[in-house]
Amino acid sequence: MSDDTPSDFSDRDPATGHPRPPRREFKARGSFVERCPGCNLPRLNCLCPYRRTVESMARVWLLTHPLEHHKPTNTGRLIRDVLPTTEVFTWYRTTPDERLLALLADSRYAPFIIFPDDQPDYADRVVGIDAVAEAKRQERIPVFILLDGTWRQARRIFRKSPYLDGLPVLPLATERLTRYQLRKPASAAHLCTAEVAAELLRQSGDAEAAQVLDDYFDVFNVSYAASRRYEKIVEQTPAMQRLQERRLS
């Protein structure tokens, strides 16, 4: 995938063929904004010039709630922009994605479902970040499965997906607070999907990938927030400068 390849979410799930929920017509603030077809941000502060790809030892698989696909504020798509090996699956309660099931059964991968360790009924499945290092020692590819949706949607996916029941649960242990400006989280400790992925990559040894994703998220966050205020960003942020330097190097 080249740096200039646009993200593409079709009206049907590419793995199952299930139709995705139709895009709702914008009728609230922002309905008249012209958006870039590549990054889905307002053209005023397009994200495409800062898109960079990078490799990582660990993989990210997104299990995405259907309602998230067409939200311009969704950050899961940023991960796929940066990490070309990212897999995106749409979650359906009654119809598991066959491609996901096949990958979960592939012994090359060591999948971890990223979820808080706040309930006793799955305490026996909880592991720490050292389990990722152990998977690498066994020459398996660590995979972070992120439940891409609101906290309520993520909990529903976790509880209503029997094929995830046998996977180790890896809670994200971090003192970082969210920088996400586009949705109001229930707590500042609730990181958005891209922030979670960046922190997991950092903790598991993929420092370069973590930094690029973190910078790309920062540019997305700042650019979208400025566009909501109808402000054109004139002076580059430090994250923009770092991504610009990667393109020139």
Side-chain angles (χ1 to χ4, degrees), residues 5-80:
T5 303
S7 298
D8 176 27
F9 286 108
S10 64
D11 292 333
R12 288 183 174 271
D13 184 87
T16 66
H18 290 292
R20 287 176 173 155
R23 296 190 69 160
R24 299 177 182 176
E25 181 182 359
F26 282 112
K27 294 184 178 179
R29 182 180 62 178
S31 61
F32 56 87
V33 172
E34 183 182 2
R35 295 180 179 273
C36 169
C39 64
N40 209 25
L41 261 67
R43 287 189 182 275
L44 180 65
N45 294 298
C46 176
L47 189 63
C48 295
Y50 300 102
R51 181 178 178 180
R52 305 291 180 267
T53 58
V54 67
E55 295 182 354
S56 65
M57 293 180 288
R59 304 284 179 88
V60 176
W61 295 350
L62 297 171
L63 191 50
T64 303
H65 192 279
L67 295 179
E68 280 293 311
H69 280 300
H70 294 304
K71 290 182 179 179
T73 54
N74 175 269
T75 67
R77 59 196 173 90
L78 303 178
I79 304 170
R80 193 177 71 166

